[in-house]
Amino acid sequence: MVKKINKGGTKKTAELSDEALARIRTRAKNDQVSLLVFSLDGARVVPLSEGQILVIGRSASADVTVRDNSLSNQHASIELSNGEVWVEDLQSTNGTRVAGEKIDRAKAEAGTEIAFGAVTASIHLLTPAQGRQLGLESHDRFQAELEMEVGRARLFGRAVALLMIRAEKGKRHSLADWLPGLKQRLRPFDRMALYSQNTVEILLPEASIDQASELCSKNRKDGHALVCGLGSFPKHASSAGELLEVTRTALEQTSAGEALYCAQLLVSSDREPEFASRGLEPVIRSAAIKAVYKTAKKVASSAIPVLIQGETGTGKEIVARVIHTQGKRQKKPFICINCGSIPVQLVESTLFGHEKGAFTGADHRSPGVFESANGGTVLLDEVGELPPPAQASLLRVLETKRFTRVGSSKEIEVDVRILAATHRDLEAMCRSGEFREDLFYRLNGMTIDVPPLRERTDEIEALSEHFIQQANKANDCSVRGIDDEARQLLLRYHWPGNVRELRNAIERAVVISNGRVISVDDLPEPVRGLAKTEHYQDPESGADDQDFEVNLRAETQRLETRLVLKALKKTGGDRAKAAKILGLPVRSLSHKMQVLGIKRPAYDKSD
């Protein structure tokens, strides 16, 4: 219900009736009248007190400050008067709406949706406990937690599930309607954040796919028309950035009446529609990447094994697909498998299949990757993660084109082209005994190095425009481009997660943007932080450092990268000598190189 009153109209000043006083006392005792605000910084519960007037706006002087360009500095006021909530627009640029109607001043009932520009809010009667439960983290903080949790899961061999949940398109369910019930079902150590104005993301450490699916189905039973996208590490993704990408893609694939869509497994056959929907088709602009695809097309017609090297997120799978689709096997299966996502005890049965009864749980005969891809192409992504026994079996397939299912003695002949991809230094792994040297030379018939995004910055704008179009189509948005300040930050950022990180950043910027162009406020915190470093001054220089701000993580990463590269170039790539120069153990240097994404071409003396 919306009751309009002309701006500047007279408010009632009569004494409260006994009924109104009783209503106020009851609310003060049992329920708390609160304004729920959903913004880029997460969800906030703002308690309202009788007789108090709160100003909401973008300015720091507002009582409720919201970081959003669609708000005016002093946008609107909220007042709890005589047990009723009144909303008044303060001559804002983008206006204030209650229940979808633009107002000057209006009464808002409990549960009514209020829009301050593009920021949504609603009035609710909440107990103090419920108010605390509705607090949601920002996406930036959530993403940092996701990175750390995936790192822990990789170290200890655990699983991590990620959910994205929103109301079905066309259904008028506000976040505040279904968030409390969802929050109550989470475990104390689960994390929830606001991905966009109508979507939440949930991190479920050590949760199976079945457990995450059950959470979605229970919320469906509450009567809310919710849809969920689900992804799991390591089953569906091998990094935090990839997990976020596949989960978001899963959410996009949901349809009306479908409560849950699970991400595609990392063992996937020819999947052109899914491949295209993820925006993974090549975008070729820079000279460096043109050379990569020129080489890929040259080797496509041959049967020679190809090793594709590059940092995580650079697009190694896309290069592999180009090799497959441009060659003679294009009409045959293309199967990509991430070797790092398979449990050690299941690697050989996944690759080569198994017989019924070969091990506990093997209740039927199952063909493996190589058998299913007969006549086509197999991409062994992250091949450096294969355990030694599987390396020996893979070498035998390369040499004899024969393999044996687990639990069988019968040999099977197969005709498969093998492509391998890795972000690790396989030569160094051979020297340390982690990877078979004979297998390395068999896989390395031809090497293609995919450069990181920071070495092909002339592609960032083209990629960004491409990802904007993809995100507009998937989310029914109409963003047209990127403003100049945001574009400059995109060009200057280091992009440790490469093209995948850029795509994730643009996707979210599109869904949270308040206008037709992406602004600085729509970008992730690490990218926004670059704007602050422009004003950096040496604290010891005597200059005024009152406003000193710096993105320490990004600056430290750049400095470490420069120092490590300098030491490696000076020693001709000898890690032991470089480690001595840097005062580090060799193992620590190797780990740091992996974290920083430093590969041999970056420190080769001839470069």
Side-chain angles (χ1 to χ4, degrees), residues 23-44:
R23 183 167 64 245
I24 293 171
R25 291 192 186 103
T26 300
R27 286 181 174 175
K29 182 178 180 181
N30 299 321
D31 294 326
Q32 176 179 296
V33 182
S34 299
L35 175 71
L36 272 61
V37 183
F38 302 96
S39 69
L40 299 181
D41 295 319
R44 277 188 289 169

Side-chain angles (χ1 to χ4, degrees), residues 140 454 457 460 484-496 501-502 505 520-521 523-537 547-559 562:
D140 291 325
R454 61 182 172 275
T457 54
I460 289 178
D484 290 339
E485 187 179 0
R487 182 180 292 106
Q488 290 304 313
L489 292 181
L490 292 177
L491 293 172
R492 289 176 48 217
Y493 182 59
H494 190 64
W495 297 112
E501 184 182 6
L502 174 63
V520 172
D521 281 344
L523 300 177
E525 190 280 329
V527 183
R528 295 197 310 271
L530 288 177
K532 299 176 182 178
T533 62
E534 292 177 348
H535 307 291
Y536 170 78
Q537 292 185 18
D547 298 323
F548 170 71
E549 289 185 90
V550 66
N551 187 324
L552 183 60
R553 181 180 177 184
E555 291 299 314
T556 302
Q557 187 180 62
R558 288 191 190 91
L559 178 59
R562 286 197 294 269

Side-chain angles (χ1 to χ4, degrees), residues 1 45 95 102 134 182 255 297 310 319 343 467 475 479 533 607:
M1 173 183 177
V45 179
K102 194 169 185 178
L134 281 172
L182 177 61
S255 56
K297 291 175 181 178
V319 176
F467 295 147
N475 299 282
V479 172
T533 62
D607 187 356

Side-chain angles (χ1 to χ4, degrees), residues 367-400:
V369 168
F370 283 92
E371 192 171 350
S372 301
N374 191 27
T377 304
V378 171
L379 170 62
L380 299 171
D381 198 8
E382 300 304 344
V383 70
E385 309 302 324
L386 280 177
Q391 292 180 30
S393 300
L394 177 58
L395 178 63
R396 185 170 182 272
V397 175
L398 284 164
E399 290 177 340
T400 68

Side-chain angles (χ1 to χ4, degrees), residues 114-303:
I114 306 170
F116 305 106
V119 172
T120 58
S122 58
I123 302 297
H124 282 264
L125 304 180
L126 304 170
T127 65
Q130 287 175 320
R132 288 192 297 273
Q133 288 172 350
L134 281 172
L136 295 179
E137 295 179 1
S138 69
H139 175 71
D140 291 325
R141 184 174 177 182
F142 180 89
Q143 197 164 11
E145 290 288 338
L146 179 62
E147 293 276 359
M148 289 190 291
E149 194 57 53
V150 168
R152 283 192 287 266
R154 180 181 288 109
L155 181 63
F156 296 109
R158 298 171 179 168
V160 175
L162 180 64
L163 284 174
M164 283 193 171
I165 302 178
R166 60 168 170 76
E168 280 184 11
K169 292 180 180 179
K171 303 292 183 180
R172 292 188 62 82
H173 289 298
S174 72
L175 283 170
D177 292 335
W178 49 269
L179 268 179
L182 177 61
K183 189 84 174 182
Q184 287 173 357
R185 292 194 176 97
L186 299 183
R187 301 165 299 178
F189 47 86
D190 294 334
R191 309 301 290 266
M192 179 188 288
L194 196 67
Y195 180 75
S196 68
Q197 296 290 358
N198 66 348
T199 305
V200 296
E201 49 196 353
I202 304 173
L203 174 60
L204 303 170
E206 299 187 43
S208 67
I209 292 176
D210 289 340
Q211 288 172 316
S213 302
E214 185 180 1
L215 180 65
C216 293
S217 62
K218 282 183 177 179
N219 280 284
R220 190 82 178 186
K221 290 176 183 176
D222 282 346
H224 301 305
L226 304 180
V227 291
C228 308
L230 167 62
S232 176
F233 171 89
K235 190 168 187 178
H236 302 132
S238 58
S239 67
E242 188 175 10
L243 182 57
L244 185 64
E245 179 185 16
V246 299
T247 304
R248 185 186 62 241
T249 302
L251 181 65
E252 293 169 1
Q253 299 294 325
T254 56
S255 56
E258 183 179 34
L260 172 68
Y261 191 95
C262 193
Q264 294 285 336
L265 294 179
L266 285 181
V267 180
S268 52
S269 58
D270 198 0
R271 49 189 175 131
E272 191 63 43
E274 191 266 346
F275 185 85
S277 71
R278 288 170 58 193
L280 298 180
E281 55 268 30
V283 175
I284 304 172
R285 295 291 187 277
S286 69
I289 209 68
K290 285 179 180 177
V292 166
Y293 285 104
K294 183 177 180 181
T295 303
K297 291 175 181 178
K298 278 184 179 179
V299 301
S301 59
S302 70

